[in-house]
Amino acid sequence: MTARERIAGSVANYVDERTGAAKWMKKNLTKVFPDHWSFLLGEIALYSFVILLLSGTFLTFWFDPSQREVIYDGSYEPLQGLEMSAAYASTLDISFEIRGGLLMRQIHHWAALIFMAAIVVHLMRVYFTGAFRKPREFNWIIGVGLLTLGIVEGFLGYSLPDDLLSGTGIRIAEAIIQALPLVGSYLAFFAFGGAFPGEAFIPRIYTVHVLLLPGAFLALITVHLMLVWYQKHTQYPGPGRTEKNVVGYPLLPVYMAKAGGFFFIVFGVTAFLGAVASINPIWLYGPYTPAQISAGSQPDWYMGWLDGLVRMAPPLESYIFGYTIPWNILIPGLIVPGILFTGMALYPFIESWITGDKREHHILDRPRNAPNRTALGVMSLTFMLVALINGGNDIIATTFDLTINQIMWFSRIGIFVLPPIAFVITKRLCLSLQRADRELVLHGRETGRLVMMPHGEFVEVHEPISPEKAWLLTQHEQNPPLALEESDLRGVRRPGVLKNKLRAHMSKAHAVSVPKATADDLKEIEHH
Amino acid sequence: MSNEIEAIKDPGLPAHVHRRTDTDPKAAKKAERQVAILFLLSALGTITLIGSYIFIPQDVFIFFPVLGNTNAHQLFLGLGMAASLFFIGMGAIHWAKTLMPDEEVIIQRHEFRSPDEDRADFVKAAKDGAAAAGLGRRSLIKRSLGLSLGLVGLSPLILLRDLGPLPGDSLTKTSWKTGTRLVTDPGDRPIRPEDLEVGAVAQTLPEIAKGEHRKLSDIAKDAVLLIRLRPEEFNLDAERLSWTHEGIIAFSKICSHMGCAVALYEQQTKHLLCPCHQSTFDVTRAAKVIFGPSARPLPQLAIKVDSEGYLVAQSPFNEPVGPSFWERSS
Amino acid sequence: MKRLSRFRRHRAVAPLLLVLALFSIGTTFSVAGAATSSPLTAAERSALIDEGQRIFLKGCSSCHGLNAEGGAIAPSLIGVGAASVDFQVATGRMPMADMSTQAMRKTPVYDEKEVEALAAYVASLAPGPGIPGEEHLNYERDGSTAEGGELFRTNCAMCHNFAGQGGALTQGKYAPTVMGVTPRHIYEAMITGPQSMPVFSDKTITPEEKLSIIKWIKAAENEPQLGGAALGRVGPVTEGLLVWTLGLGMLVGVAVWLAMKAR
């Protein structure tokens, strides 16, 4: 035993005698993680969060979250002598007086954009592979919560510097609060400590941005990860992979080195963006005043869809008994996002209700084998994309020689028409991919080689695929739709017929598939 | 289930294929060197970072293709930092991929559902606990506890009351009064009608006493846009026409949709566009909405000239300016 | 750290400004001289006007009418002044290449002499804003950058964007970028209100304030990249695009490599 080993042993002994950690560590250090690039998308989000904590802490050392008016006397000449809030002035100071301050600001902002983008692609991976199914429904809901919090947290951070662009964003947020029936104007006055913009808002959202929401994030992320740990990761289908096992690399050392290394990669890429690409150049925007505005005032991308929805909303307002209900704000700003996010959070339960499937799933679906789900996902993404495009319609118009009116009308019609079209196309695409899978298993791979048969016919040589590949293409379950009786054994109609009809209908749509190839099919072909 | 037909069999985990580094000591040595080089690159990155921090002044700009004339301090600080982090990651991953064991391991999943025995014990324990506390029997305690817990949630609500004052008439009133002069923003100079040519615009605010300071919350309601047209271009009813002066018309600059500053005036079409959500207003028809999400015209400020010939408000706005709210009557 | 107040005095800036100044003087000298300090004799003047009328009849009258009275597709030019002609023709907007929604800045069709003659002709029809002389365009001396920025954000940024990059108007019209426009043309645009742009009167934005705006625009134009690639200076849209392409692209690329089995 070397000296180093002795020391390590005695430290381990010291800790274990006080915590009993050895038992736990033994089990967990040998924990196995399946390896796939798409399993790292969530890690990008996690690491971006750590980067946000680190760079954000740096920024707090100099940022002054106050709307007290100051005269700028820093080194950025085009703003010298102007009145501005201390928040804006201190952000300028971070950018120009603190060495590395601008770099940190840019890293923080890029990390925030990457954080949100990674959450979205992670969510897409989880959705399209069916990883949200039992037993992982809680984690799905936590994920939707993190996405929602991320949007709020990002918006607050974007608002803190109190520049012309972010002030415009706050102005719009205030209008949404103010639009709420009954309590709107009261809530707005409470939030802003009086009339907009007041002097209370920035200090308040600062506390929420650096304390309350990061705390909530930490708690939710911890639970999210603990559940992943405890429930063990899902895995893609393949030879040797079953619902009962996990195939992958042990935590120590392979996974730890890879995951740890990946943290540095994410940080490095973020720092690279912070070094080479300017983000949120607040010194160009100028300090906020409500009488000024810039062309192309947009939020960050994760709010862009919301802005796009608000832009395309019809000019509707109701006046009832002397009270105003601004539907043009409420529908795109609150009602539609509310329905979308609630629907998203409840999706695992909706799907399980439709399929009647209450079993655990640890093997992921190939998206083509769940055509209905995949089509629904693409449909939702299409909806979001149309809204997002409309959110940047002015920039798109000037870049591609279009008119904002054209893009607006395209979006107004497209938001209703394109998602269903996307649904139908995706579903058909999934089914033809299933058909192609079946063909591949039964007839093998086309080699491109032509052979002349004795009677003169040319045929292409097909090569049988490997048993591993054949298994991958046929391992999925194909369950029949739910059989829901409209009446019970005695012929009495059951309660909730309508609900059952709907459920049966959806279940049937969900179960549409091309029969997968079986060993029997293969034998039959061999006989011919 | 279709599984009654014979399905294709799972061939099981394929045999492990050794990497070159597992079999060829030379390849392993090479991989080790590569990992070391990556770590050294990281160290170089950190040195670049330190060097840039200390030695590159903040006012040096160098030209880079794509980036343009870029601040060297910021760029090299960032590139050094990026390299120092990125290459640690690359090194660690390359190490894991080439030199750490790459044989896939299989572990078994455990069932999440607790054994029936444990579940029964849990239900019993919970029931026993509840019984011991006497919640079921002592309904007085149960109800009063319910009441107090329900009420305790109110305290944070009431404690947050002082976050701000009640709106009062703040949302419906602006600083404009009968006879308030319109002054330029910025500059605070009063304006005569003859100062504006046809086709001209002016950003204005209500005049304030010398030495007084404008609050942003006032500007957020008071900002007004002056536009001069040919009088014959107006398409207004008699009342609205009387609110104009020699072709000069004044609108609240605060969008009736969500409060952005509406000031994109197109001189030829006489349209006002809001850059936030693209509501478009027709100036000749009292800012009627002709496109976009806004549901109401921009409030019009009635103007005239005072005895000294300067433009003033005839009267305050006759409706609240800015975005809609519940108590707004129309 | 006083680096930013110093960068304007940086080595590269002075020659750049000099070239810019020489350029604007070069292009404006003859026209400006003709319109303001007028060293021309009456005879020379009327010759210039005749020359202008000749060019007008050949190149402009098909749309603007034989006497510049305007037509179905083009406005009357009576009373628009020399400044308007100089802006429209010397920036290449007029004559229009095609009947699109808006005349674009392009290589001028007429040279300085011809523009001068055209301007003189149109100015002779009725009084209108004249071409500002060089001595009235000394923005470096008479303007203030910070004040100009404030004026720009209040009066210009809503159409031309916070950094003067331009932006969309209704029905395919747009506010062009103000980058790379000569001070004289910026000034002329403000006093004449070309196309969609409104007029900014000398009483609401004084000549000194206009010079401040020009000074700010020139500062924005010459501002180096303080934080890296500028991404067009159009705000969060391009930033979002970069994150989804380059940012996520790099990260997913590394992730794919990470999960690939080594051989």
Side-chain angles (χ1 to χ4, degrees), chain C residues 201-252:
Chain C
S201 316
D202 276 354
K203 289 287 163 42
T204 51
I205 299 181
T206 63
E208 293 76 45
E209 288 178 335
K210 288 192 170 85
L211 292 182
S212 293
I213 291 177
I214 293 172
K215 190 170 181 186
W216 182 87
I217 290 174
K218 291 297 151 195
E221 197 173 292
N222 296 319
E223 182 169 302
Q225 314 306 349
L226 301 173
L231 309 182
R233 289 186 181 166
V234 288
V237 173
T238 45
E239 296 164 1
L241 210 58
L242 193 76
V243 152
W244 276 95
T245 50
L246 185 66
L248 227 51
M250 285 193 285
L251 290 172
V252 170

Side-chain angles (χ1 to χ4, degrees), chain A residues 69 83 99 106 182 185 204 232-233 240 244 246 248 261 274 291 307 311 315 317 324 328 393 519-520 523, chain B residues 5-6 10 53 74 85 89 102 105 107 109-110 163 213 217 253 276-278 293-294 324 326-328 330:
Chain A
E69 254 181 30
E83 275 178 11
R99 279 181 285 177
Q106 300 200 142
L182 213 62
S185 45
R204 284 176 186 175
K232 297 198 177 73
H233 211 288
K244 302 271 176 221
V246 188
D307 202 45
R311 286 179 185 200
E317 233 174 45
T324 299
N328 54 354
N393 61 1
D520 288 350
K523 270 180 213 149
Chain B
I5 316 166
E6 197 190 338
D10 180 359
Y53 191 93
Q74 139 89 13
L85 295 162
D102 82 326
V105 179
I107 56 163
R109 291 183 189 278
H110 57 86
L163 273 175
H213 196 74
S217 47
K253 210 166 115 180
C276 286
H277 303 108
Q278 284 134 15
S294 182
S324 298
W326 174 249
E327 296 87 350
R328 200 179 194 285
S330 66

Side-chain angles (χ1 to χ4, degrees), chain A residues 32 69 83 96 99-100 102-104 106-107 135-136 168 171-172 175-176 178 181-182 185-186 189-190 193-197 204 230-234 239-241 243-250 253-254 257-258 261-262 264-265 267-269 271-272 274-276 288 290-294 307 310-311 313 315 317 319 322-326 328-329 360 362 393-394 404-405 408-409 412 441 467-468 471 474 478-479 517-520 523, chain B residues 1-3 5-14 53-54 58 67 70 73-75 77-79 81-82 84-86 88-90 92-93 96-97 100-113 160-167 170-171 185 203 205 213-214 216-221 223 253-254 256-264 273 275-278 280 289 291-296 323-330:
Chain A
V32 160
E69 254 181 30
E83 275 178 11
F96 298 132
R99 279 181 285 177
L102 182 56
L103 180 67
M104 278 298 171
Q106 300 200 142
I107 287 177
R136 296 184 176 78
T168 303
R171 169 80 251 199
I172 292 165
I176 294 179
Q178 198 178 296
L182 213 62
S185 45
Y186 289 84
F189 266 65
F190 291 159
F196 173 85
R204 284 176 186 175
Y230 178 68
Q231 294 178 332
K232 297 198 177 73
H233 211 288
T234 53
R241 284 143 215 260
E243 292 284 9
K244 302 271 176 221
N245 71 7
V246 188
V247 181
Y249 295 108
V254 180
K258 283 188 170 182
F262 198 53
F264 286 98
I265 298 275
F267 208 159
V269 166
F272 175 73
V276 301
Y288 179 64
Q292 296 176 351
I293 188 97
S294 163
D307 202 45
V310 173
R311 286 179 185 200
E317 233 174 45
Y319 312 105
Y323 294 103
T324 299
I325 306 171
N328 54 354
I329 297 175
E360 279 183 18
H362 303 291
N393 61 1
D394 40 0
I404 49 176
N405 309 66
M408 192 85 99
W409 278 111
R412 281 176 171 181
V441 176
E468 283 82 15
W471 165 248
T474 56
Q478 290 189 320
N479 294 322
T518 61
D520 288 350
K523 270 180 213 149
Chain B
M1 285 212 192
S2 58
N3 293 6
I5 316 166
E6 197 190 338
I8 289 170
K9 292 261 165 3
D10 180 359
L13 203 60
Y53 191 93
I54 300 172
Q58 279 176 282
L67 301 187
T70 310
H73 176 81
Q74 139 89 13
L75 182 69
L77 204 61
L79 288 179
M81 187 171 168
S84 68
L85 295 162
F86 187 79
I88 289 187
M90 294 296 278
I93 295 170
K97 280 182 59 161
M100 291 182 193
D102 82 326
E103 199 154 358
E104 284 188 308
V105 179
I106 302 179
I107 56 163
Q108 299 303 310
R109 291 183 189 278
H110 57 86
E111 207 188 343
F112 296 118
R113 192 181 189 281
L160 286 175
R161 162 62 191 85
D162 278 349
L163 273 175
L166 296 181
S170 167
L171 285 171
D185 167 34
Q203 324 285 331
L205 288 169
H213 196 74
R214 273 202 188 86
L216 289 186
S217 47
D218 288 335
I219 298 177
K221 289 184 293 183
K253 210 166 115 180
I254 308 303
S256 53
H257 178 224
M258 290 178 120
C260 293
V262 192
L264 276 79
L273 173 70
C276 286
H277 303 108
Q278 284 134 15
T280 312
V289 183
F291 190 75
S294 182
R296 285 182 287 109
S324 298
F325 52 96
W326 174 249
E327 296 87 350
R328 200 179 194 285
S329 50
S330 66

Side-chain angles (χ1 to χ4, degrees), chain A residues 47 60 73 117 125 134 157 195 243 270 381 386 443 445 479 484 513:
Chain A
Y47 299 150
T60 60
D73 60 353
R125 197 280 294 169
K134 187 181 173 187
E243 292 284 9
T270 312
L381 286 178
V386 172
H443 303 296
R445 192 170 55 86
N479 294 322
L484 295 165
S513 62

Side-chain angles (χ1 to χ4, degrees), chain B residues 16 18-21 58-61 66-71 74 86 89-90 93-94 97-98 102 104 184-187 189 191 195-203 253 261 263-269 271 273 275 280, chain C residues 1-4 6-7 10 12 147 150-151 154-155 158-159 168-171 173 191-206 209 224-230 254 256-263:
Chain B
H16 178 242
H18 284 296
R19 295 166 297 188
R20 271 219 314 282
T21 43
Q58 279 176 282
D59 60 346
V60 174
F61 292 84
V66 184
L67 301 187
N69 202 15
T70 310
N71 186 284
Q74 139 89 13
F86 187 79
M90 294 296 278
I93 295 170
H94 193 54
K97 280 182 59 161
T98 53
D102 82 326
E104 284 188 308
T184 58
D185 167 34
R189 295 181 299 271
I191 303 164
D195 295 345
L196 295 171
E197 294 96 333
V198 169
V201 295
Q203 324 285 331
K253 210 166 115 180
L264 276 79
Y265 175 61
E266 295 179 5
Q267 197 221 136
Q268 284 172 333
T269 56
H271 291 168
L273 173 70
T280 312
Chain C
M1 297 296 138
K2 281 282 175 195
R3 74 171 160 102
L4 285 166
R6 268 191 288 160
F7 80 66
H10 187 262
E147 191 197 11
E150 207 176 359
L151 285 156
T154 311
N155 290 286
M158 65 286 247
C159 301
L169 301 175
T170 68
Q171 306 292 355
K173 297 187 288 298
I191 55 174
T192 62
Q195 305 189 38
S196 291
M197 181 165 164
V199 179
F200 294 92
S201 316
D202 276 354
K203 289 287 163 42
T204 51
I205 299 181
T206 63
E209 288 178 335
Q225 314 306 349
L226 301 173
V254 175
V256 169
W257 170 71
L258 186 155
M260 217 156 44
K261 247 181 157 30
R263 276 181 303 138

Side-chain angles (χ1 to χ4, degrees), chain A residues 4 11 64 113 130 134 137 170 323 337 453 471 498 516:
Chain A
R4 201 188 301 170
V11 169
D64 177 5
L113 296 196
K134 187 181 173 187
E137 300 97 325
I170 300 178
Y323 294 103
M453 303 298 275
W471 165 248
L498 218 77
K516 63 180 186 181

